Amino acid sequence: MTDSPSASGASATAAASADSYEPWRAPVAAGALDAVVELPGSKSLSARALLLAAVADAPTTLSGLLRSRDTELMLAALTALGARFEDLNDSGTRLRVTPAPLPLHVQAAPDGVGRIDVGLAGTVMRFVPALAALADAPVVFDGDEAARRRPMAPLLDALAALGAEVTHLGEPGFLPVRIGPGDGALLKAQNARVAVDGSASSQFVSALLLLGALLPGGLELTPTGPVPSLTHVAMTVATLRERGIAVDEPSPGAGDGERTWRVRPGSPRGGQVAIEPDLSNAGPFLAAALVAGGRVSVPHWPAATTQAGDAWRELLPRLGGEVTLSGDLLTARGTGRLSGIEADLSDVGELVPTVAALATLAGAQGHASALTGIAHLRGHETDRLAALATEIRLLGGDAEETTDGLIIRPAPLHGAALHSYADHRMATFAAIIGLGV
């Protein structure tokens, strides 16, 4: 497996440079598996917990925090806005957070402007700009080359409509961008209302919900169309409520463009916050049991959760596995025989690369699959739909990219040098494939 800068349009020079990296050979199982895998903390919950702790009414102690590049970028971004962080153990998974008061004090350069590197972290590039509108100086946001291709326009338009100063420094609607408090309208906003097009990413909705509690009169937010990955919006709402913020949700029967969330004003509570294991990242390990046979168990599985990864309990049996939950121990069992699947994955888009890997291997066993509701994956770390279709075809598989998903037809597979596209979920796609090819 090698890296590659994008799913489409990469220059020959960039591709050659990417392919010069030493490839990593995916492991092959010598027999049936029997393993217990301890998971790190949830990336999505870690990002939300850090942001709310940075603006809380008192210090917060986080436990179970994920330490990864995305986490380090979030810590650096919030530090640039005045929050302070202290590791409480050697691994950095316990952290004490001292919040920053409003208006957030920017660590500005001599030109009076702060600078934040978002890397390729979606939560940093979407969640933190909203906070910059509550700062005492403007902040320039930029990131990796691939980050400049990820859509930002709906969030930037919403922030401008609320009174933030938004200055495009490159192609409008993309990074780099400068965001500032303008005349301070947001710090004085009463009965703020805004609409946002959330069809490209639920992170636009979550970013504004997280901002809403910090406005003097709260915020009324209405997405103008469909919102993918509503589980992540539910996670944001649950996280706010756990910190004492009241949120009114739309009625269950509300249609696209009719859903309105109301966030009541208030400072998030500090205190003790425990972060659940990352259930989405359980997928590759649980999938391994289906591919190689045997069983893989994951401890500390929560009885109730807003994480999209809880859907593995329903998805893996449809792909040929068996899943049991005994207390907090979730176990997946498999025989090596897989099934095709037809699934609307609109609410659990982050699970798609692992589902696609199992569907591709099922295709080699004669089973077709159709994955739908995932057009928004084109705006992730890479265009994941194009990347998946490309890599499946490199393996000899038959994959067709549709308007909103993938069709995977039966076809024999062979080994290949697959690309990760600087995207961790594409890397795990390749690792799962390697177990079976």
Side-chain angles (χ1 to χ4, degrees):
M1 181 177 64
T2 60
D3 201 357
S4 180
S6 68
S8 60
S11 69
T13 300
S17 173
D19 287 338
S20 69
Y21 289 114
E22 185 69 24
W24 175 77
R25 185 174 294 276
V28 177
L33 305 179
D34 187 1
V36 177
V37 179
E38 294 267 0
L39 296 173
S42 161
K43 182 174 75 167
S44 297
L45 287 172
S46 292
R48 288 160 173 79
L50 285 168
L51 188 143
L52 291 177
V55 293
D57 62 0
T60 302
T61 299
L62 304 178
S63 59
L65 183 73
L66 173 70
R67 297 310 290 253
S68 66
R69 186 192 183 208
D70 283 17
T71 304
E72 301 311 313
L73 289 165
M74 180 64 82
L75 289 169
L78 297 173
T79 298
L81 296 177
R84 294 293 177 264
F85 302 92
E86 177 189 359
D87 286 334
L88 299 180
N89 61 2
D90 291 342
S91 64
T93 58
R94 292 191 72 244
L95 196 71
R96 181 175 175 82
V97 185
T98 302
L102 297 180
L104 300 171
H105 178 62
V106 175
Q107 292 183 357
D111 62 1
V113 177
R115 286 169 175 80
I116 288 177
D117 175 15
V118 308
L120 195 52
T123 51
V124 182
M125 73 175 67
R126 272 77 178 263
F127 291 2
V128 182
L131 290 187
L134 303 178
D136 60 5
V139 178
V140 170
F141 291 85
D142 201 1
D144 296 356
E145 180 185 348
R148 292 185 171 193
R149 295 189 292 269
R150 300 188 71 177
M152 291 281 289
L155 174 64
L156 300 177
D157 291 346
L159 292 176
L162 287 168
E165 178 188 11
V166 177
T167 305
H168 302 283
L169 303 178
E171 182 179 351
F174 296 87
L175 298 175
V177 65
R178 184 172 68 239
I179 298 176
D183 63 1
L186 274 172
L187 288 167
K188 300 174 287 187
Q190 297 289 335
N191 302 314
R193 295 178 175 84
V194 73
V196 65
D197 178 1
S199 60
S201 175
S202 66
Q203 289 178 344
F204 301 147
V205 177
S206 287
L208 294 165
L209 292 175
L210 292 166
L211 169 69
L214 304 177
L215 305 184
L219 178 67
E220 184 175 294
L221 172 64
T222 303
T224 57
V227 180
S229 300
L230 276 170
T231 52
H232 282 95
V233 177
M235 175 187 289
T236 302
V237 170
T239 303
L240 285 164
R241 287 173 173 166
E242 289 164 4
R243 307 300 186 277
I245 302 300
V247 182
D248 300 329
E249 295 184 89
S251 62
D256 294 340
E258 299 174 347
R259 300 185 182 98
T260 295
W261 282 261
R262 294 176 180 84
V263 185
R264 307 301 180 181
S267 296
R269 282 197 302 258
Q272 304 286 328
V273 176
I275 296 169
E276 298 172 0
D278 195 317
L279 307 188
S280 296
N281 281 333
F285 303 105
L286 299 173
L290 276 65
V291 176
R295 64 182 180 184
V296 173
S297 298
V298 174
H300 314 304
W301 200 277
T305 181
T306 55
Q307 289 191 65
D310 197 43
W312 290 127
R313 295 199 285 168
E314 180 264 332
L315 288 170
L316 293 178
R318 294 170 62 188
L319 285 156
E322 175 190 342
V323 176
T324 57
L325 182 62
S326 178
D328 70 350
L329 186 71
L330 185 131
T331 300
R333 294 177 175 83
T335 63
R337 298 300 304 172
L338 299 169
S339 303
I341 188 171
E342 293 186 7
D344 178 350
L345 301 175
S346 55
D347 280 344
V348 293
E350 65 203 66
L351 309 187
V352 168
T354 293
V355 174
L358 292 172
T360 300
L361 294 169
Q365 298 178 11
H367 307 294
S369 295
L371 313 181
T372 61
I374 48 177
H376 61 287
L377 296 192
R378 294 189 172 94
H380 279 228
E381 284 84 341
T382 189
D383 179 340
R384 283 183 180 159
L385 291 187
L388 287 167
T390 297
E391 301 305 298
I392 292 169
R393 289 193 288 265
L394 277 177
L395 292 159
D398 184 348
E400 177 187 349
E401 186 180 350
T402 66
T403 304
D404 76 335
L406 288 172
I407 295 173
I408 301 171
R409 301 183 181 90
L413 303 176
H414 55 69
L418 302 184
H419 302 97
S420 70
Y421 301 84
D423 182 338
H424 64 294
R425 299 203 191 277
M426 290 302 301
T428 54
F429 165 84
I432 296 165
I433 291 291
L435 284 173
V437 175

